[in-house]
Amino acid sequence: MNNQIKQLKEQLCWASQEIYQRNLVNVGEGNISVRVNGKKEMVITPSRNDYRKPIPEDMVHLTLSGKIIEGNKKPSSESSLHRVFYNARSNVNCIIHTHSPYTSSLSIQHKGIPVIFEEMLIFLGGSVPCAKYAMSGTAKLGKNALETMGNQNAVILANHGSLVVGKTMEYCVNITQLIEKMAKIYVLANYSSDIKKIPEEKQVDFRLRFVDEFSTV
Ligand SMILES: [Zn+2]
């Protein structure tokens, strides 16, 4: 294993523990991957990833066509979801998928999150839409997610959870948490009143900041 792959595996271990400590994932669900720079390859967490004590040796190195290059364990069953994005978007370097509870509660209503906070415009480029249902483990899940994501960096997967793509792992970790917080606020607010969105004309400047810094298109 060369140094570059070793570092990427360590990055997956770091992100695994981060999202576990932030209560965004339970052991055995969700998945994280990273692109191997300059190659048609990625490294992904294994099936039933142990987020509490991940070890680099458990991470699986694959080609973007799905062939295993190296790994002691089975790759995550959502590998094809990740491959769809790396193949379609050259600026996506990292991906995180979770079943965090508030985001998942919107997913079972097939609902996205409208633009309710400015952070959503700056970091995500706008709302978080909900993609059409497709069975987990299928390439169709990735296709629906890619189509629905548009020019932005996140979607909710119907009856499933969240998907965030980005240029860096730190961004994906933070944005997975941001989406869960926005989902929580939105779900809680829905119990008592109608939701006021940020007016369209006020959204433009924030969106430009997203395009400058975080866009992966
Ligand atoms: Zn999942």
Side-chain angles (χ1 to χ4, degrees), residues 8-188:
L8 296 178
K9 289 185 173 185
E10 283 165 0
Q11 210 180 109
L12 291 179
C13 291
W14 171 80
S16 294
Q17 287 182 311
E18 275 300 307
I19 61 171
Y20 183 72
Q21 282 159 10
R22 297 186 195 193
N23 295 318
L24 295 166
V25 76
N26 289 329
V27 170
E29 62 180 32
N31 29 70
I32 311 171
S33 71
V34 60
R35 183 196 290 277
V36 180
N37 212 353
K39 293 189 175 169
K40 288 187 181 307
E41 297 170 8
M42 68 176 188
V43 186
I44 192 164
T45 47
S47 184
R48 302 205 54 78
N49 187 29
D50 185 350
Y51 291 92
R52 291 165 304 188
K53 290 182 186 161
I55 54 168
E57 291 71 23
D58 283 351
M59 306 302 152
V60 187
H61 183 187
L62 296 168
T63 65
L64 293 188
S65 54
K67 196 171 153 265
I68 295 176
I69 298 170
E70 187 209 6
N72 304 326
K73 293 204 167 180
K74 259 173 64 179
S76 164
S77 58
E78 295 297 10
S79 296
S80 61
L81 168 67
H82 293 243
R83 288 194 278 114
V84 165
F85 279 85
Y86 291 124
N87 281 319
R89 285 200 190 184
S90 57
N91 290 326
V92 169
N93 293 324
C94 305
I95 300 175
I96 297 183
H97 161 58
T98 70
H99 303 171
S100 52
Y102 284 95
T103 308
S104 297
S105 94
L106 291 175
S107 87
I108 62 170
Q109 302 170 66
H110 294 193
K111 256 191 179 170
I113 312 169
V115 179
I116 50 173
F117 273 67
E118 291 163 358
E119 291 102 297
M120 294 179 70
L121 291 160
I122 297 167
F123 296 113
L124 285 161
S127 62
V128 183
C130 182
K132 266 194 210 148
Y133 176 79
M135 272 174 73
S136 54
T138 63
K140 180 84 175 145
L141 182 68
K143 194 173 168 282
N144 288 356
L146 183 71
E147 274 171 18
T148 305
M149 194 182 282
N151 293 335
Q152 297 171 192
N153 282 350
V155 282
I156 292 175
L157 307 171
N159 301 86
H160 198 153
S162 70
L163 182 77
V164 174
V165 306
K167 295 178 197 170
T168 69
M169 192 61 85
E170 201 180 1
Y171 170 90
C172 289
V173 166
N174 290 335
I175 297 307
T176 299
Q177 185 172 32
L178 175 71
I179 288 173
E180 179 64 2
K181 184 181 163 189
M182 294 299 116
K184 184 175 181 179
I185 292 168
Y186 186 47
V187 167
L188 293 176

